[in-house]
Amino acid sequence: MRDKITTAAEAVATIRSGDTLCTSGFIGSGVPEALLAALEARFLETGEPRNLTLMFAAGQGDGKDRGLNVLGHDGLLKRAIGGHWLVVPKLGRLALEGKIEAYNLPQGVISHMYRDIAAGKPGTVTHVGIGTFVDPRLEGGKINDVAAEDLVSVIEVAGKEWLFYKGFSLHVAFLRGTTADPNGNVTAEREALDLDNLAMAMAVKNSGGIVIVQVERIARAGSLNPRRVLIPGPLVDCVVVAPPEQHQQTYGTAYSAAFSGEISIPLEGIAPMRLSDRKIIARRCALELRAGAIANLGIGIPEGVAAVAAEEQVSDLFTLTAEPGVVGGVPAGGLNFGAAVNTDAIIHQNQQFDFYDGGGLDMTVLGMAEADAVGNVNVSRFGGKLAGAGGFINISQNSRKVVFAGTFTAGGLDLRIEDGRLRIAQEGRAQKFGRNVEQITFSGRVAAAQGRAVLYVTERCVFRLTPDGLELVEVAPGIDIERDILRHMGFQPIINHVRLMDSRIFRPEPMDLRRRLLDLNLDDRIAYDAARNILFCNYEGMRVRRHEDVEAIRAAVVAKSEQIGRRFAVVVNYDGFHLDDQLAGEYVAMVRDLEDTYYTRVSRYTTSAFMRVKLGEQLVRTVRPHIFESRAEAQAFHEQVEEA
C-alpha cells in the first residue's frame, strides 16, 4: 500500500469547488484544526475552492475564531447543514444574512445520516423532530429564505407519521485521531471522544470521496493494535501530522489523561459551586435524580447538576451520559463540554443517539431560553441569535422525564440568598415565559399527548407540564407569587396547590442528597385516589436493602389502608427498583399478606424488561404477578377488570 502521509496543504488541495465537506468534532473536542486552517489558507490565497456544502453534527468552535469559524468567508461556502450553531458565530452570521443556504437539523439525525449514507440508503427515517421547527409543516429546519430545497418531508409507514431526512453524497471528510501508520490505520487513544469518525469515513468512501485524517504522531506500519484502530486504513486517503498547537485535546485543555480514560481522578478535589442562581437551579434539578437512573445533562446551567452530584457524593448512584458518546463518570463543562472524567465507556456518537432515540434515558436536564403557555421550549433561535438545536430535540423528545433548567428572567437579574430565603434585588429585563416562543425546539403539545413527565425549573419557582398547559407547582421561600412570578409572565399559568421548594436548596451547606436518594421516603411515595379507589405506590429508584426497609413499606401501606377503611385496587411503579436477593422471600411474603388483607387487585409496571422478569419470577409462586411496561397499561388493567 502507498504511503498516505502528506501535508495539510497537499491534502486540502484535493478539494474541488462545489464539493460537500463533513467535519468531525464536538465543541472543542476532536476538532481537526490543522485541516480547517489549511483549507482557509488555500481559499484566502487562491480563492479556491468555492461554493462548498458543509455538514456537521455537533458545533465545532470556541464561540469566536476557532474551529468551523475559519470557514466563515464569503464565497467559500454555498450551503451549511449543521446541528449546533452557537459556537460557530461566523458561520451563523453568513446564515442570518442570507449569504449561504443554511439548515439546522437535529444533531442525532445528522449523526445517523452519516451511517445511512454509508449504507447507501436514500436518507434517514425517524420520529425525531415531529412537532418542532424541523417539521416541514412548520419550518423544515430552514434557517433562511435562500434555503429553498426541502431536506425534510413527512411520510407514513405502518400507519404512523415519520420524518424523512433526505440523504446525499459526501465528497470530503476532515477527521481526527491520535496515531496513524503509513497505511492509514488510525487510533484515538489520546482523544476524549470517538464521535462519528468511523461512520463519516465510510460515508465518504462509499460516496467515492476523499477521507483526510489529522493525527499527532506516526507509528511503524503494521505496529498498531488492531483492537485500538478506530478508522481502518482502507477508508483513509490522507494522513496529516498536526503541530501540537493545532491538536489540543479540547479547546479548554491541551491534554488530560482523565479525559482519555488513562487515569481516574479523585472527585473530592472538585471545588463546589458557589451558592448562586445557577447552583439553586442545579440543586433543584438534582432532586429529580433517582438511584439507578441513566441521565443526560445539557450544556450551560444543566452542567451544574454534575457538580452538585459530585459535591453531594452521589455520582456513583446513577449513570450520567453525554450525547457525543460518554457513558458514566462526571461530564466536564465549558470548552471541555462533551469530555468527562472517570467514565465507564466511550461509544460512538451515532450509537449514543440510537440509545437516546429509543427511549433509553430515564431523565434529562436541558437548558431553556424561553417557554410558553402550552409548554413549548425554544433554545435554538431567539432575539437575532442562532444557537441551533444540537442534540436537544433527540434528547427532549425521547427521555422518560424531562427537566428544563434556566433563570426565570434574563438580562441583569440580581438575586440575594439570605437565611434560606430568596430575594430579587434586580429583576431581569427580558421575560422568558411568554405567550408564544419564537421557535419550537420542544413541543409541549406532543409531550403532553404522550403523557411525558416534564418540569420547568427556575431559581424562584417550578412548573410542570399538563394537558392544559403549564402549572405552577413550587415557589421558593421569600418569593411572592403575584409580585415575583405572575407579573413577569406573558400568560397566566394553572395554579392549584403550590408548595415551597425544598429549603435546603437555598442554604450553603450540602443538601444530604445521598440520604434522600437511598432512603425510602414512603410518605411521599404512597397516594390514594378516592374517586377511582386506587392506591398508587411509587417505588421508583428505591432500594430495599435491609429487613427494616421491608417492614417500613409494610407499615406505611398498612397505615394508609387503615385510613382508607375499605379494600382498594393498587398500582405499583417498580421503575429503577432494587431488591437485594437475600430479602426476596421476605418481601414477597409481605406483598402476599397485604394483597390478602387490603387489596382487591394489584398491577405493577416497570420499563425494565429484566425487572419485569425478575419480579414475575419472585411473585408468581404466591401472588398474581400482573406486571406491565407502563403506568397507562397498569391502569388500563384495572379498568378492564371493572368493565368485566
Side-chain angles (χ1 to χ4, degrees):
M1 295 183 64
R2 66 184 178 88
D3 190 326
K4 299 181 178 182
I5 303 166
T6 186
T7 67
E10 291 171 337
V12 302
T14 62
I15 302 173
R16 301 161 300 178
S17 292
D19 276 351
T20 297
L21 166 69
C22 58
T23 63
S24 185
F26 186 94
I27 313 260
S29 296
V31 181
E33 199 78 19
L35 304 181
L36 292 170
L39 177 58
E40 179 192 32
R42 179 188 168 199
F43 176 78
L44 293 178
E45 182 180 346
T46 68
E48 294 287 338
R50 303 183 62 82
N51 298 324
L52 299 179
T53 292
L54 174 67
M55 187 177 186
F56 57 96
Q60 300 147 37
D62 60 355
K64 298 176 183 177
D65 304 310
R66 302 173 72 177
L68 296 179
N69 287 293
V70 304
L71 305 184
H73 297 287
D74 292 352
L76 176 55
L77 300 180
K78 174 188 176 183
R79 172 184 287 188
I81 304 165
H84 186 225
W85 289 74
L86 182 63
V87 296
V88 289
K90 292 190 175 182
L91 292 187
R93 174 187 61 82
L94 296 178
L96 294 174
E97 293 177 358
K99 293 183 176 180
I100 59 173
E101 303 167 14
Y103 297 82
N104 181 201
L105 304 183
Q107 180 178 324
V109 170
I110 295 177
S111 185
H112 285 154
M113 286 179 72
Y114 292 137
R115 197 171 61 190
D116 290 338
I117 291 169
K121 298 178 181 179
T124 298
V125 177
T126 177
H127 61 285
V128 172
I130 289 177
T132 74
F133 75 91
V134 180
D135 193 315
R137 292 164 292 194
L138 295 178
E139 302 173 44
K142 298 175 181 178
I143 293 174
N144 54 30
D145 292 337
V146 297
E149 184 180 359
D150 295 329
L151 298 184
V152 190
S153 57
V154 179
I155 64 173
E156 184 175 305
V157 178
K160 182 180 177 181
E161 275 190 351
W162 302 84
L163 295 185
F164 174 71
Y165 294 82
K166 182 180 177 181
F168 43 84
S169 295
L170 299 171
H171 305 119
V172 183
F174 282 180
L175 309 177
R176 200 175 110 156
T178 299
T179 309
D181 68 13
N183 296 332
N185 296 299
V186 178
T187 63
E189 64 271 17
R190 285 170 58 87
E191 299 294 315
L193 302 165
D194 288 341
L195 299 173
D196 293 317
N197 282 283
L198 178 58
M200 294 169 72
M202 289 182 173
V204 172
K205 179 57 65 174
N206 284 351
S207 296
I210 298 170
V211 177
I212 307 171
V213 185
Q214 169 182 320
V215 298
E216 64 178 81
R217 59 194 183 189
I218 300 296
R220 179 178 56 81
S223 66
L224 297 177
N225 183 337
R227 300 290 292 176
R228 300 184 73 175
V229 171
L230 176 64
I231 310 173
L235 302 182
V236 176
D237 296 286
C238 301
V239 172
V240 173
V241 179
E245 63 273 15
Q246 292 181 323
H247 202 90
Q248 287 191 194
Q249 191 178 41
T250 76
Y251 285 153
T253 303
Y255 179 73
S256 166
F259 287 166
S260 64
E262 186 180 342
I263 63 170
S264 293
I265 61 172
L267 297 179
E268 293 77 12
I270 299 178
M273 299 172 66
R274 69 176 184 86
L275 191 59
S276 63
D277 53 354
R278 297 176 73 89
K279 186 168 186 176
I280 289 170
I281 296 169
R283 278 180 157 183
R284 176 59 189 85
C285 294
L287 294 180
E288 295 300 314
L289 291 166
R290 295 291 179 267
I294 303 173
N296 165 274
L297 302 180
I299 195 169
I301 288 179
E303 297 172 30
V305 177
V308 168
E311 179 186 359
E312 299 280 347
Q313 299 182 18
V314 297
S315 300
D316 61 310
L317 298 181
F318 41 82
T319 301
L320 295 179
T321 68
E323 57 265 37
V326 170
V327 179
V330 179
L335 291 177
N336 293 321
F337 182 73
V341 300
N342 300 0
T343 55
D344 296 322
I346 301 293
I347 63 176
H348 292 208
Q349 182 170 241
N350 52 74
Q351 295 171 330
Q352 188 81 297
F353 278 112
D354 284 338
F355 182 70
Y356 285 1
D357 291 355
L361 285 173
D362 296 303
M363 171 185 167
T364 184
V365 183
L366 298 169
M368 172 178 60
E370 59 175 354
D372 66 18
V374 299
N376 295 325
V377 172
N378 174 25
V379 299
S380 47
R381 188 170 183 174
F382 42 88
K385 185 176 184 179
L386 177 60
F392 185 97
I393 296 176
N394 299 83
I395 297 165
S396 64
Q397 194 171 339
N398 296 297
S399 179
R400 295 190 185 100
K401 174 182 282 188
V402 182
V403 181
F404 294 115
T407 56
F408 186 74
T409 60
L413 176 62
D414 185 20
L415 308 176
R416 297 289 184 271
I417 306 166
E418 302 163 338
D419 193 28
R421 297 171 65 83
L422 189 64
R423 179 170 64 85
I424 311 299
Q426 175 66 49
E427 191 58 78
R429 295 183 298 274
Q431 284 188 4
K432 295 178 67 173
F433 287 84
R435 182 160 297 279
N436 296 294
V437 296
E438 184 176 345
Q439 188 171 71
I440 299 175
T441 329
F442 170 82
S443 173
R445 287 191 173 93
V446 171
Q450 294 171 339
R452 202 169 299 279
V454 184
L455 293 179
Y456 306 74
V457 175
T458 76
E459 79 288 345
R460 70 187 73 177
C461 60
V462 179
F463 301 92
R464 75 177 181 94
L465 181 63
T466 77
D468 299 316
L470 290 195
E471 178 185 0
L472 178 65
V473 293
E474 294 182 29
V475 63
I479 291 297
D480 180 84
I481 292 178
E482 177 62 39
R483 180 192 68 214
D484 299 322
I485 299 176
L486 300 183
R487 192 177 297 174
H488 306 286
M489 298 181 69
F491 61 91
Q492 176 73 28
I494 301 166
I495 300 178
N496 291 316
H497 306 290
V498 182
R499 60 184 180 272
L500 284 178
M501 296 171 71
D502 194 319
S503 61
R504 294 175 297 174
I505 297 172
F506 304 92
R507 297 190 176 278
E509 63 271 12
M511 298 187 297
D512 197 15
L513 184 58
R514 190 174 187 89
R515 183 187 62 80
R516 178 188 175 97
L517 289 174
L518 292 178
D519 280 4
L520 302 185
N521 300 309
L522 290 166
D523 289 342
D524 298 329
R525 292 178 175 270
I526 300 175
Y528 177 61
D529 183 339
R532 292 185 290 175
N533 193 32
I534 297 178
L535 185 73
F536 292 94
C537 298
N538 179 19
Y539 296 162
E540 180 182 359
M542 199 164 74
R543 180 167 184 177
V544 177
R545 299 168 292 165
R546 305 167 299 172
H547 163 77
E548 290 79 9
D549 295 340
V550 177
E551 289 306 308
I553 295 172
R554 181 199 302 272
V557 175
V558 167
K560 179 64 73 172
S561 302
E562 296 296 335
Q563 180 183 345
I564 294 170
R566 58 172 175 163
R567 284 182 174 266
F568 46 82
V570 178
V571 175
V572 187
N573 176 7
Y574 276 113
D575 245 2
F577 178 83
H578 294 272
L579 174 65
D580 284 9
D581 290 341
Q582 68 270 21
L583 294 172
E586 183 179 349
Y587 184 83
V588 169
M590 179 268 292
V591 170
R592 183 180 65 243
D593 183 51
L594 292 175
E595 281 201 31
D596 292 343
T597 308
Y598 300 107
Y599 304 168
T600 57
R601 57 189 175 274
V602 59
S603 61
R604 305 163 177 90
Y605 69 94
T606 172
T607 56
S608 167
F610 174 77
M611 184 55 67
R612 287 197 298 275
V613 172
K614 187 174 181 180
L615 282 172
E617 289 176 346
Q618 293 173 344
L619 298 177
V620 71
R621 298 178 182 87
T622 53
V623 300
R624 295 173 294 278
H626 300 297
I627 305 171
F628 303 95
E629 187 174 359
S630 69
R631 175 169 174 159
E633 292 175 352
Q635 290 183 211
F637 164 75
H638 293 294
E639 294 169 0
Q640 292 167 2
V641 172
E642 289 176 357
E643 291 173 0

